[in-house]
Amino acid sequence: MDIIALAREIGHQIQADERYLALKAAQKDSDADGDLQELIGEFNLKRLAINNESTAENPDNEKLAQFNRELREVYAKIMSNDHMKAYEKAKNEMDQLVQRVQAIILQSVDGADPD
């Protein structure tokens, strides 16, 4: 089996892994959570307002401070949402798996024992 075929097999194994399945389920739940999606939309609008104000010819520092406070409040609400918490946990676990696989490959390229 060549290296590309092995890489594809790793891809199939990743997609069958419980961490991948948990991440996909958490994404689906987050996407279906109307309240969470509304908060994310509000967050994006606050970020846009901050960007627009900060790039204005004469930025209003009071407005920027208020927008930043509002942005932090919305962010806190997003991160306290149960679906977002589950998504973050699942994403962190998936990221750890990918980092481990990547580390094995990179160390192997450098001549280390893959085991």
Side-chain angles (χ1 to χ4, degrees):
M1 186 177 283
D2 72 357
I3 292 173
I4 301 302
L6 288 169
R8 287 193 172 104
E9 181 58 29
I10 290 171
H12 289 293
Q13 292 299 317
I14 286 171
Q15 290 179 345
D17 188 272
E18 64 186 39
R19 290 161 284 201
Y20 175 86
L21 298 173
L23 177 60
K24 289 299 165 186
Q27 285 174 328
K28 184 179 176 185
D29 290 344
S30 292
D31 289 347
D33 184 332
D35 292 337
L36 177 59
Q37 293 306 310
E38 188 174 313
L39 286 168
I40 291 170
E42 185 179 343
F43 178 85
N44 289 331
L45 289 174
K46 300 289 182 196
R47 208 171 50 182
L48 183 60
I50 289 169
N51 185 54
N52 288 341
E53 188 61 37
S54 65
T55 59
E57 190 171 316
N58 296 311
D60 183 334
N61 288 331
E62 282 186 36
K63 267 189 185 179
L64 279 171
Q66 179 62 32
F67 289 154
N68 276 309
R69 279 191 299 277
E70 292 170 0
L71 182 80
R72 284 191 299 274
E73 288 172 9
V74 173
Y75 181 79
K77 289 178 185 176
I78 289 170
M79 297 313 292
S80 68
N81 177 284
D82 288 340
H83 289 129
M84 181 55 78
K85 287 178 187 177
Y87 172 80
E88 282 294 310
K89 181 180 183 291
K91 183 170 182 342
N92 287 338
E93 290 175 1
M94 190 68 222
D95 287 348
Q96 288 174 354
L97 173 64
V98 170
Q99 288 171 3
R100 182 68 181 126
V101 169
Q102 184 179 21
I104 292 168
I105 292 169
L106 292 175
Q107 290 170 354
S108 297
V109 168
D110 287 338
D113 181 356
D115 292 323

